[in-house]
């Protein structure tokens, strides 16, 4: 079976005959070949399926372990007890069938086919792989409740007539003789049963007509008698039964013969039916439904009132009574042979307290056997209800983009009244699947295998394992996304996730559980997506939008301490920075924008607003410099500097005509025009100034006689001058003096013995 619910689903009370809550398995036919069947039908009356048909086997009781893939029935026929030859190879046996193909897997003998044993009922604990089978045998040790264990992997059974293991028997609890009906309370490990001895009092057995409960989880369990043996309405006395000592149905069984039993653990009630002694009789007041509580001894039972148009007609003699704990329905197998009416199973919707029936639907033998004209004598026998596993999920789940995987329902629970194991489960992204979505699960120390299909968004869990292990793995199921924006900036923030549990029950419609299309919310922390800077221009309107992502939509703000250029403003609600920068506002402005949406931390962007402004250059005043050493010499280097405004900060270049110059520079004697040019991205601007160089004083010679030499000297910087001599000062017969010269600390020594009294010297430029 597959049970499906959506994420965030909290199961409410299911409507009467609404969603499928499980399957009713039944035996029918009462030994008649054509209508002797095993079948199952969904709780909403859909998908009636026959799994076994025909033959001489009484389909008298049914047990199912859908997760393991097996179901069982009992063949009760033996000797003269049922008029069937003792050579019947399956008499008094437990028959095991494969759920996959309904073939007989194996047979385990329970009773002694050579004796008149009675083997009529069973109950199953699939969590512990135990089948409880009733047996009334030829001695006290073989009268009671036998335990048969099975291997869920192979179906191999142990116990039975060759190696019997009894939970309780007449030898250790003398009140037991004929256990005919059983019902199990799995969560509490309690087995409820009816000892219907019909006043049988032949030694070593004694009559003890009652409804019992036994805790099968303890050693040496002792049954507790829940009902009274008082001869009052709701009491069920013992005594010599009809035909066993002269008793009558009126005196020995005033409330009717005890029949089938079912437990309602939620309301702590045990239901059971009674029937009149004769199946075609007219004392229908003994055909009734009763209840007692689950723990008090010696109770007088209360009768459950049926709707006015509903009567029971012999709900006993190998009949069935089963309870659906999820849908809160009670199924009563009624062998209705009166006035030609066909037998049926009544589907009864219970009140909230479980003590009354609100409405009844009928499944007749035509439906149950798949035969449009079932034999008049055919009727339903034993039944069992297999509840679907119920997941209870968290009320909410959310994922923050970029974070670690988030568990979707870390406290989810699985409950199942009739299944201890699952065969598999899926968690799927049924709507909203986007690239990068991932589901994962932790399966450590389980036999569960986990695979994820990224294309379909389905996480599949497989293999037979306990409800506890599946619950632990499903609690670990987590969502994450490799997409940096799995919410598509708020446009795809939802994922609908569907959880499906598979316990092996066949023919269950997918998605049959009432649920809402509830979602996983995806949120994203804020982040800026626009550039961290912009350029405006003085006098020109400008605009820039500060953009961010995140869900919910982030709220933007600008630091109040920031300075904006005159004429420019920021509107936080739209993220728009706009305006016309005022004159003189060129420059770089550092702004601090923040974005926050309650998801993660507030994020800050440092934003640079550049306000561009055209350059304006200012030249220095005209410069006058003097040359050193007369007309033939250049002046010392002249330094100069212009200034400029604008943004970006302009570069300044200097030109002498078309020649680029740098400061300081050397200039010749006279006036030179220098042009200053300032440039930035908005253009250029220029100005000019004049540098005037005037001649300096001429150099002065110095002469000194040093021994036999005449030393003539002048400053080193006047290197452009030539030393000349003349013997007669009045004439112009000057000539360059060729030397030889010697040097001494920058002075010229004339070393050719020239007389200082007969030669004149000068410097010629």
């Amino acid at each position: 079976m597959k049970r499906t619910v959506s994420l965030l689903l909290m199961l409410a009370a299911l409507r009467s005959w609404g969603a499928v809550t499980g399957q009713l398995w039944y035996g029918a036919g009462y030994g008649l070949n054509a209508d002797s069947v095993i079948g199952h039908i969904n709780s909403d009356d859909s998908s009636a399926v026959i799994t076994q048909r025909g033959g001489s086997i009484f389909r008298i009781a049914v047990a199912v372990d859908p997760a393991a893939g097996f179901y069982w029935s009992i063949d009760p026929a033996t000797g003269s007890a049922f008029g069937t030859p003792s050579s019947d190879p399956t008499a008094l046996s437990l028959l095991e069938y494969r759920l996959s193909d309904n073939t007989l897997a194996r047979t385990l003998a329970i009773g002694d086919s050579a004796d008149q044993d009675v083997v009529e009922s069973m109950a199953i604990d699939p969590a512990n792989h135990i089948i409880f089978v009733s047996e009334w045998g030829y001695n006290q040790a073989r009268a009671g409740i036998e335990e048969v264990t099975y291997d869920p992997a192979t179906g191999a059974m142990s116990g039975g007539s060759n190696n019997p293991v009894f939970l309780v028997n007449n030898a250790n609890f003398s009140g037991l003789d004929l256990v005919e009906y059983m019902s199990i309370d799995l969560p509490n490990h309690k087995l409820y049963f009816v000892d219907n001895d019909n006043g049988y009092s032949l030694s070593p057995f004694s009559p003890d007509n009652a409804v019992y409960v036994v805790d099968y989880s303890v050693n040496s369990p002792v049954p507790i008698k829940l009902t009274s043996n008082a001869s009052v309405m709701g009491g069920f006395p013992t005594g010599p039964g009809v035909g066993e000592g002269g008793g009558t149905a009126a005196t020995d069984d005033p409330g009717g013969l005890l029949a089938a039993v079912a437990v309602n653990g939620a309301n702590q009630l045990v239901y059971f039916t009674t029937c009149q002694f004769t199946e075609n009789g007219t004392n229908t007041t003994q055909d009734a439904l009763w209840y007692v509580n689950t723990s008090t001894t010696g109770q007088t039972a209360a009768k459950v009132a049926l709707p006015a148009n509903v009567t029971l007609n012999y709900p006993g003699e190998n009949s069935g009574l089963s309870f659906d704990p999820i849908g809160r329905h009670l199924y009563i197998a009624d062998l209705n042979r009166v006035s030609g009416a066909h037998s049926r199973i009544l589907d009864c919707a219970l009140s909230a307290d479980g003590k009354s029936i609100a409405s009844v639907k009928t499944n007749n033998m035509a439906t149950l056997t798949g035969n449009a004209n079932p034999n008049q004598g055919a009727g339903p026998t034993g039944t069992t209800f297999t509840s679907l596993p119920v997941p209870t999920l968290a009320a909410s789940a959310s994922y923050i983009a970029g974070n670690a995987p988030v568990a979707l329902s870390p406290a989810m629970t699985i409950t199942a009244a009739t299944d201890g194991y699952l065969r598999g489960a899926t968690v799927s992204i049924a709507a909203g699947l986007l690239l990068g979505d991932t589901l994962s699960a932790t399966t450590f120390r389980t036999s569960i295998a986990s695979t994820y299909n990224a294309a379909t968004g389905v996480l599949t869990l497989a293999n037979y394992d306990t409800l506890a292990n599946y619950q632990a793995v499903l609690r670990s199921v987590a969502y994450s996304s490799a997409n940096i924006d799995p919410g598509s900036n708020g446009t795809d923030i939802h994922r609908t996730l569907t959880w499906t549990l598979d316990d092996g029950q066949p023919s269950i419609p997918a998605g049959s559980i009432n649920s809402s299309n509830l979602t996983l919310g995806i949120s994203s922390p804020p982040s800026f997506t626009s550039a961290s800077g912009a350029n405006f221009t003085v006098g020109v309107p400008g605009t820039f939008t500060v953009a961010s992502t995140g869900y919910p939509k982030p709220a933007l703000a600008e630091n109040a301490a920031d300075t904006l250029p005159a004429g420019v403003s920021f509107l936080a609600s739209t993220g728009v920075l706009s305006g016309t920068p005022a004159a003189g506002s060129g420059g770089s402005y550092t702004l601090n924008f923040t974005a926050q949406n309650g998801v993660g931390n507030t994020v800050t962007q440092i934003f640079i607003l550049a306000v561009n402004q055209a350059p304006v250059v200012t030249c220095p005043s005209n410069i006058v410099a003097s040359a050193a050493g007369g007309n033939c010499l250049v002046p010392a280097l002249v330094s100069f500097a212009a200034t400029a405004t604008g943004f970006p900060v302009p570069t300044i270049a200097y030109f002498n005509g078309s020649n680029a110059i740098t400061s300081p520079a050397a200039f010749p004697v006279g006036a030179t025009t220098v042009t200053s040019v300032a440039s930035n991205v908005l253009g250029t601007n220029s100005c000019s100034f004049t540098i005037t160089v005037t001649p300096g004083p001429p150099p002065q010679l110095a002469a000194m006689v040093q021994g036999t030499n005449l030393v003539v000297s002048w400053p080193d910087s006047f290197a452009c001058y030539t030393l000349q001599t003349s013997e007669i000062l009045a004439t112009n017969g000057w000539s360059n003096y060729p030397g030889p010269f010697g040097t001494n600390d920058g002075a010229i020594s004339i070393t050719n013995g020239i007389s200082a009294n007969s030669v004149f010297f000068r410097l010629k430029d």
Side-chain angles (χ1 to χ4, degrees), residues 29 38 82 110 123 125 176 194 235 246 266 323 341 380 404 505 563 568 579 678 749-750 756:
I38 295 175
F82 289 90
I110 300 298
D125 177 353
L176 297 182
V194 171
F323 177 65
Q505 293 191 54
T563 299
V568 176
S749 296
I750 300 173

Side-chain angles (χ1 to χ4, degrees), residues 628-630 632-633 697-704 710-725 735-750 760-765:
C632 81
L633 299 180
Q700 300 296 315
L701 284 173
M704 179 182 297
L710 175 65
V711 178
V712 180
S713 63
W714 64 93
D716 288 343
S717 59
F718 296 96
C720 66
Y721 286 84
T722 302
L723 180 65
Q724 293 184 324
T725 62
S735 60
N736 294 337
Y737 185 74
F741 298 106
T743 60
N744 182 19
D745 296 329
I748 296 176
S749 296
I750 300 173
F760 298 91
F761 295 89
R762 73 174 182 182
L763 293 174
K764 176 64 176 178
D765 60 11

